[in-house]
Amino acid sequence: MARYIFVTGGVVSSLGKGLSSASLAYLLQSRGFKVRIRKLDPYLNVDPGTMSPFQHGEVFVTDDGAETDLDLGHYERFSGISAKKSDNITTGRIYNDVLKKERKGKYLGKTVQVIPHITDRIKEFIKDDVSKEDFVICEIGGTIGDIESLPFVEAIRQFSNDVGKKNTMFIHLTLVPYMKASDEIKTKPTQHSVKELRSIGIQPDIIICRSERPIPYEQRKKISLFCNVDIKNVIETVDVKTIYEAPISFYKEKLDRQVLDYFKIKSRNNVNLNPWKKITKNVLNNKKFVDIAIIGKYVNLKDAYKSLDEALTHGGIANNIKVNLVRIESDKLKVLDIKKKLKNISGILIPGGFGKRGTEGKIAAINYARKNKIPFLGICFGMQMAIIEFARNQLNIKKATSSEFGPGGNAIIGLINEWNKDGVMIKGTNKELGGTMRLGLYEARLKDNSLIKKIYNSKSIKERHRHRYEVNINYKDKFEKKGMIFSALSPDKKLPEIIELKNHPWFIGVQFHPEFKSRPLAPHPLFSSFIKAAKNHK
Ligand code: GLN
């Protein structure tokens, strides 16, 4: 049977529960165990798909097409395990399921209540789709003491009772602040948080203490005593300079060892930390760098393009160079400023996006990259904008647009069911007819002798999608005649997946999101190649 490790957080949010869980997953995997990581989110949205990046940062997409919390991206990047739909659960989804069942009369007239009906459904999710895993790490979102997360905490308490204490472990992550005025490290917030946790029936087995400075023995002893945890299980996590140091630092603190000891399991392999050491060295010490501009609507929000920032860094790791991200807000990018703003840039990237706001700045930047032969990568919306730029300026279709921006103009990008069978736009189409999002893995076939085929070194690829609109395939010949090649198509040849420019050193647009599949220990070929081109451009 799988062992379950529940990770909760206390005192404040953003302590790095996700990174701690992901690092633990790596260490256990490296020791030869099969691991799964899940996130239980206490908000009422059924999934984060409809949440604004302002609220929630990036929406991470899994192979099987789930729109999930961005922590699942961390999990994948650190553990190398692809997340699934069943790995992210929200309160909204739980209630949705329970209420649907209630409407169908499945509870046979009983009063439907948080305990046991909601908690039962949570427990089902925790166990769902687990087969040969040795460990399932479940991170509970939010902070202990929140009203919202109570049903989850109650459910994991019950779960531990159901499957036995020897098969479950509770890890609690807290803040141990340093008070400058008195030059002291304070354990009281941790004590209070653990007290709160115990008041709802959970005694932590390990406490991870997030701290700015190393925690002296005396303070550890205090935490151990007041929180009723073995001193060996009071583990510190001091701020690291780069997230890639996290697995190394948790290993030094023996987090994985303590977990195995708790479950009385012997390690199968020695942990291999070399890749992380190499990456950390590269990220921290590399003096050479390239400037890459990311032009998007949400660039000033730290987590809005999380996987993308990571994938670019991975591209740098592959090329032994530091990637300096220059974030440019598309709304504020004036067409006349482009030359000045992009002067020292070695590569331009337009990420995924929704809506018309800020598009003219993006299109002007693409024009600049095309004409000045600056390496360019357009992702999803970025590819669609590259199509519009090319149509307007090379095919002389001045009103080229996307039907996402409303009626009117010449929509080269649209919903597939907005075209008639000859590929002509049906005017005044009712948007409600629109297809839903294309989500998750889809295959693309790569054209012979294309740059993209060289990059992937494969005839066929599968990448993750998250979009509604498509480039109208019927324009293919027109574009290709002028030098923009549709270098990958869906297997039925109806949907353009990748475009590239013939007379340009590196100009690629992809309809999917390659950033979701890049990992520090296995940088994505597209990002490695993009950064290489940027390095050569410099
Ligand atoms: N808004 C575009 C669409 O829905 C692009 C989406 C994206 O970039 N992820 O097709």
Side-chain angles (χ1 to χ4, degrees):
M1 186 201 154
R3 279 102 178 159
Y4 288 82
I5 302 171
F6 296 104
V7 183
T8 53
V11 186
V12 291
S13 59
S14 306
L15 283 179
K17 261 184 300 174
L19 195 55
S20 310
S21 307
S23 301
L24 176 60
Y26 174 80
L27 294 172
L28 291 174
Q29 269 219 132
S30 186
R31 288 191 178 277
F33 299 100
K34 188 162 184 235
V35 184
R36 190 78 179 270
I37 328 181
R38 313 202 126 153
K39 173 105 197 258
L40 282 61
D41 274 315
Y43 48 75
L44 280 171
N45 303 62
V46 173
D47 62 45
T50 53
M51 281 159 95
S52 145
F54 283 112
Q55 289 274 314
H56 202 256
E58 159 191 282
V59 172
F60 187 77
V61 180
T62 59
D63 279 348
D64 57 358
E67 298 178 277
T68 69
D69 187 88
L70 57 83
D71 268 332
L72 271 80
H74 272 317
Y75 301 165
E76 279 204 13
R77 286 188 284 273
F78 275 76
S79 68
I81 311 161
S82 292
K84 292 201 215 162
K85 231 180 210 142
S86 50
D87 292 329
N88 192 196
I89 306 153
T90 69
T91 300
R93 160 153 279 143
I94 303 276
Y95 272 82
N96 207 22
D97 286 2
V98 169
L99 291 178
K100 268 195 215 148
K101 225 169 129 184
E102 187 272 338
R103 290 291 83 189
K104 284 188 188 147
K106 293 273 162 72
Y107 293 106
L108 308 173
K110 285 202 188 98
T111 309
V112 180
Q113 294 179 298
V114 173
I115 305 171
H117 302 101
I118 295 295
T119 45
D120 278 355
R121 187 71 192 112
I122 296 172
K123 288 193 283 180
E124 273 169 36
F125 262 121
I126 293 171
K127 271 200 280 200
D128 182 34
D129 197 18
V130 171
S131 53
K132 295 203 176 89
E133 280 80 1
D134 298 296
F135 295 101
V136 180
I137 301 174
C138 292
E139 179 191 340
I140 317 291
T143 309
I144 289 302
D146 294 348
I147 292 175
E148 296 197 307
S149 52
L150 267 178
F152 283 120
V153 183
E154 168 61 15
I156 60 175
R157 183 193 67 75
Q158 292 176 15
F159 190 91
S160 169
N161 252 349
D162 297 349
V163 303
K165 193 71 196 88
K166 66 178 196 315
N167 294 316
T168 43
M169 161 177 244
F170 296 109
I171 297 182
H172 190 54
L173 182 65
T174 70
L175 178 71
V176 179
Y178 167 72
M179 300 289 289
K180 210 168 165 194
S182 55
D183 187 28
E184 272 180 315
I185 281 191
K186 292 295 191 188
T187 65
K188 195 69 91 191
T190 297
Q191 294 177 37
H192 277 295
S193 178
V194 170
K195 196 169 147 200
E196 186 83 38
L197 194 59
R198 284 160 76 181
S199 74
I200 37 185
I202 290 178
Q203 164 65 48
D205 302 300
I206 287 183
I207 299 178
I208 300 180
C209 306
R210 174 79 187 263
S211 172
E212 248 177 79
R213 322 191 148 200
I215 304 172
Y217 181 74
E218 272 314 303
Q219 270 77 16
R220 288 195 193 213
K221 226 165 79 183
K222 215 164 158 187
I223 294 172
S224 156
L225 181 68
F226 282 94
C227 301
N228 200 21
V229 167
D230 189 329
I231 189 151
K232 283 203 278 218
N233 289 344
V234 178
I235 289 187
E236 75 176 21
T237 167
V238 176
D239 297 355
V240 281
K241 287 199 204 77
T242 143
I243 53 169
Y244 307 119
E245 248 183 303
I248 304 172
S249 124
F250 280 117
Y251 176 80
K252 281 192 192 141
E253 276 288 301
K254 301 196 172 68
L255 174 62
D256 51 326
R257 272 250 77 95
Q258 291 310 109
V259 168
L260 292 184
D261 280 359
Y262 173 91
F263 287 113
K264 301 191 173 52
I265 299 176
K266 282 216 164 61
S267 178
R268 294 178 186 155
N269 295 328
N270 288 333
V271 172
N272 178 12
L273 287 172
N274 290 338
W276 298 108
K277 286 186 183 152
K278 214 173 116 200
I279 290 175
T280 304
K281 216 167 112 194
N282 177 303
V283 172
L284 295 181
N285 303 335
N286 222 323
K287 298 274 179 297
K288 287 180 294 173
F289 64 88
V290 273
D291 282 338
I292 303 290
I294 303 187
I295 306 173
K297 244 195 310 196
Y298 304 111
V299 286
N300 289 327
L301 291 171
K302 203 176 127 265
D303 284 339
Y305 303 103
K306 188 78 206 152
S307 298
L308 187 62
D309 295 353
E310 288 295 313
L312 285 163
T313 308
H314 305 162
I317 292 169
N319 288 285
N320 205 14
I321 198 162
K322 210 169 176 164
V323 176
N324 195 12
L325 303 178
V326 181
R327 299 164 207 272
I328 301 177
E329 232 176 303
S330 51
D331 306 32
K332 298 201 178 128
L333 187 60
K334 299 270 176 317
V335 176
L336 292 175
D337 286 348
I338 292 230
K339 209 168 152 189
K340 204 170 82 207
K341 283 246 166 99
L342 300 177
K343 210 170 73 201
N344 296 319
I345 296 293
S346 305
I348 297 175
L349 192 146
I350 313 274
F354 292 83
K356 190 166 192 307
R357 190 161 58 85
T359 49
E360 290 311 316
K362 290 181 189 175
I363 291 171
I366 296 170
N367 181 272
Y368 182 81
R370 182 170 62 78
K371 285 193 177 147
N372 294 286
K373 305 219 181 303
I374 300 169
F376 168 80
L377 176 57
I379 293 182
C380 204
F381 199 64
M383 158 169 155
Q384 297 174 355
M385 294 307 106
I387 286 279
I388 292 179
E389 190 282 321
F390 199 81
R392 285 185 190 170
N393 300 316
Q394 291 297 98
L395 305 186
N396 213 15
I397 308 174
K398 293 289 174 219
K399 287 192 174 153
T401 182
S402 165
S403 67
E404 181 173 358
F405 309 151
N410 196 334
I412 297 179
I413 327 276
L415 301 171
I416 326 176
N417 56 4
E418 286 177 333
W419 307 322
N420 70 15
K421 65 178 189 334
D422 302 317
V424 178
M425 190 76 183
I426 311 162
K427 298 282 174 203
T429 306
N430 180 353
K431 272 279 161 60
E432 277 163 22
L433 292 175
T436 47
M437 287 238 203
R438 189 143 75 100
L439 281 169
L441 277 192
Y442 282 89
E443 186 188 349
R445 306 248 166 100
L446 313 186
K447 194 178 164 125
D448 283 339
N449 302 319
S450 59
L451 172 61
I452 200 70
K453 196 169 168 193
K454 229 185 272 157
I455 292 172
Y456 274 98
N457 192 22
S458 171
K459 276 206 281 249
S460 148
I461 55 165
K462 276 189 180 159
E463 291 279 8
R464 296 183 196 172
H465 291 244
R466 181 178 183 247
H467 59 106
R468 221 166 251 126
Y469 298 84
E470 307 279 356
V471 175
N472 188 335
I473 188 76
N474 298 284
Y475 285 90
K476 183 169 178 285
D477 290 346
K478 281 199 182 108
F479 275 82
E480 295 200 330
K481 249 187 224 134
K482 289 280 184 184
M484 183 175 269
I485 309 300
F486 286 21
S487 53
L489 302 178
S490 55
D492 64 2
K493 300 194 171 61
K494 285 190 179 140
L495 304 172
E497 291 277 6
I498 303 175
I499 52 135
E500 60 184 69
L501 276 184
K502 236 191 207 160
N503 298 313
H504 192 288
W506 210 102
F507 188 106
I508 290 179
V510 294
Q511 187 57 81
F512 46 80
H513 290 271
E515 69 271 26
F516 292 141
K517 285 200 358 183
S518 187
R519 288 160 188 180
L521 304 188
H524 192 290
L526 206 45
F527 286 94
S528 307
S529 176
F530 177 51
I531 299 300
K532 190 171 171 194
K535 196 171 152 184
N536 292 338
H537 177 79
K538 220 182 158 194

